[in-house]
Amino acid sequence: MLELPGQDGKIDQNTAIFGYDDKFREWCKKLFQYYWEKTKLCSP
């Protein structure tokens, strides 16, 4: 499951993407890693 933030920046509990297969899990992992790396670049 992947929950996304709403316009206010808080996680919107009413909006989520669900998936159960390996492709979905791999996509979520890659998406997380992409944003995690971007966060590391922005921190002092």
Side-chain angles (χ1 to χ4, degrees), residues 1-2 17-33:
M1 179 173 79
L2 175 66
I17 301 171
F18 290 86
Y20 299 97
D21 64 359
D22 290 336
K23 283 185 179 183
F24 180 76
R25 284 192 291 259
E26 188 62 28
W27 179 80
C28 288
K29 180 180 174 182
K30 286 180 181 181
L31 184 65
F32 175 83
Q33 290 172 334

Side-chain angles (χ1 to χ4, degrees), residues 7-22:
Q7 291 181 343
D8 61 0
K10 296 179 182 176
I11 296 297
D12 182 353
Q13 298 292 327
N14 297 314
T15 305
I17 301 171
F18 290 86
Y20 299 97
D21 64 359
D22 290 336

Side-chain angles (χ1 to χ4, degrees), residues 2-5 11 17 26-43:
L2 175 66
E3 291 185 322
L4 304 170
I11 296 297
I17 301 171
E26 188 62 28
W27 179 80
C28 288
K29 180 180 174 182
K30 286 180 181 181
L31 184 65
F32 175 83
Q33 290 172 334
Y34 172 79
Y35 283 108
W36 184 258
E37 288 301 317
K38 287 183 76 108
T39 304
K40 286 181 186 177
L41 294 174
C42 295
S43 55

